Amino acid sequence: KNGKVENKCSVCGKVSKTTTIYYPKTIKLSKTSYTYNGKTQTPSVTVKDSKGNALKKDTDYTVKYASGRKSTGKYSVTITFKGKYSGTKTLYFNILPSKTSKLTPACSTIEIKASWKKVTGASGYKVELLNSKGKVVKSVTTTKTYYTFKKLSKVTTYKIRVTAYKTIDKKAAYSIVSTTITTSTAPAKVTLSKVTAGSKSATPAWKTVSGASGYQVQYSTSSKFKSAK
């Protein structure tokens, strides 16, 4: 609440001037979320009174930061008032995991296995499967660095998005940034219908595979397809 300073006569007690000390109404950090980069994070503090005037650091208040402030997690900033002001205020900011990298899909006809590189300081990951229009089809959380989506449609385009998170106050605090890839389930297996042999040739034929853009044909003199062409 507001305070005041009075200029009062020490003899007669008459007040000649009264100055209002407006209470500190707005106390903010310059940032409340950072992305992990291995460096110490130190958000600045802004304090304004109820009239919008800025208070002066070290004159009207002091600031104390929690130690560390490099790893992912939650950190405190304590503002202690002094001089014409009293009381304390504690604010908090988070350091969240960085962006996932090396997100790689391995696809079959009805499954897509996504894998990615471990993110420093992450408690786990949210993995989302999206259709070609960007709508989330399925969302899961895992502490592993891979996940397999099953029972998907054949020859269908999907997007996979992975976001790392840190558990803070028993809740998942998600990274500000995500990694997204576009991939597709594979066509069905090709079935050879016949191979017509010539004196110096072989002509294979197969059934059309629904949704396929084309076919790769290999031949080799080895049953294990060594040195196949």
Side-chain angles (χ1 to χ4, degrees):
K1 59 184 179 180
N2 293 340
K4 61 182 179 179
V5 175
E6 293 182 335
N7 287 4
K8 183 185 292 186
C9 177
S10 60
V11 178
C12 68
K14 182 180 180 181
V15 176
S16 60
K17 182 180 179 182
T18 300
T19 303
T20 301
I21 304 173
Y22 296 98
Y23 71 93
K25 183 179 181 180
T26 306
I27 308 169
K28 289 185 178 180
L29 299 179
S30 57
K31 291 185 70 174
T32 56
S33 291
Y34 289 86
T35 299
Y36 171 82
N37 61 5
K39 298 179 180 180
T40 300
Q41 306 297 348
T42 308
S44 60
V45 177
T46 300
V47 181
K48 292 184 178 181
D49 64 22
S50 58
K51 295 289 285 185
N53 301 310
L55 275 65
K56 293 183 180 180
K57 182 182 176 183
D58 297 327
T59 300
D60 300 318
Y61 63 92
T62 59
V63 179
K64 182 179 180 181
Y65 294 91
S67 59
R69 310 195 308 285
K70 284 186 179 182
S71 303
T72 56
K74 180 180 180 180
Y75 297 92
S76 64
V77 181
T78 303
I79 297 92
T80 303
F81 291 97
K82 57 185 291 189
K84 296 177 182 178
Y85 305 89
S86 64
T88 60
K89 177 74 173 181
T90 302
L91 303 177
Y92 299 91
F93 69 93
N94 295 329
I95 298 179
L96 303 175
S98 59
K99 187 177 182 179
T100 51
S101 61
K102 297 184 178 179
L103 177 56
T104 306
C107 306
S108 67
T109 54
I110 57 172
E111 295 184 359
I112 299 176
K113 180 181 179 180
S115 57
W116 53 90
K117 187 178 180 181
K118 183 178 181 180
V119 176
T120 300
S123 302
Y125 308 89
K126 179 171 69 172
V127 191
E128 296 172 296
L129 182 72
L130 301 86
N131 61 22
S132 58
K133 295 182 179 179
K135 182 180 179 180
V136 176
V137 177
K138 187 175 182 180
S139 179
V140 297
T141 57
T142 179
T143 56
K144 299 177 181 179
T145 56
Y146 60 88
Y147 186 81
T148 301
F149 292 100
K150 300 180 179 181
K151 297 181 179 180
L152 304 178
S153 300
K154 299 176 183 178
V155 201
T156 302
T157 299
Y158 291 98
K159 293 182 180 181
I160 296 175
R161 182 167 61 204
V162 180
T163 310
Y165 70 85
K166 176 72 174 179
T167 302
I168 299 175
D169 294 335
K170 299 181 180 181
K171 294 182 180 180
Y174 290 96
S175 173
I176 301 170
V177 286
S178 304
T179 300
T180 303
I181 57 169
T182 301
T183 186
S184 174
T185 47
K189 182 180 178 180
V190 174
T191 301
L192 279 169
S193 55
K194 65 178 180 177
V195 178
T196 303
S199 59
K200 292 185 179 180
S201 66
T203 305
W206 55 88
K207 294 180 180 180
T208 299
V209 177
S210 177
S213 300
Y215 306 88
Q216 181 192 70
V217 184
Q218 296 182 342
Y219 67 91
S220 175
T221 56
S222 167
S223 61
K224 294 183 180 180
F225 272 77
K226 292 181 179 179
S227 302
K229 295 183 180 180

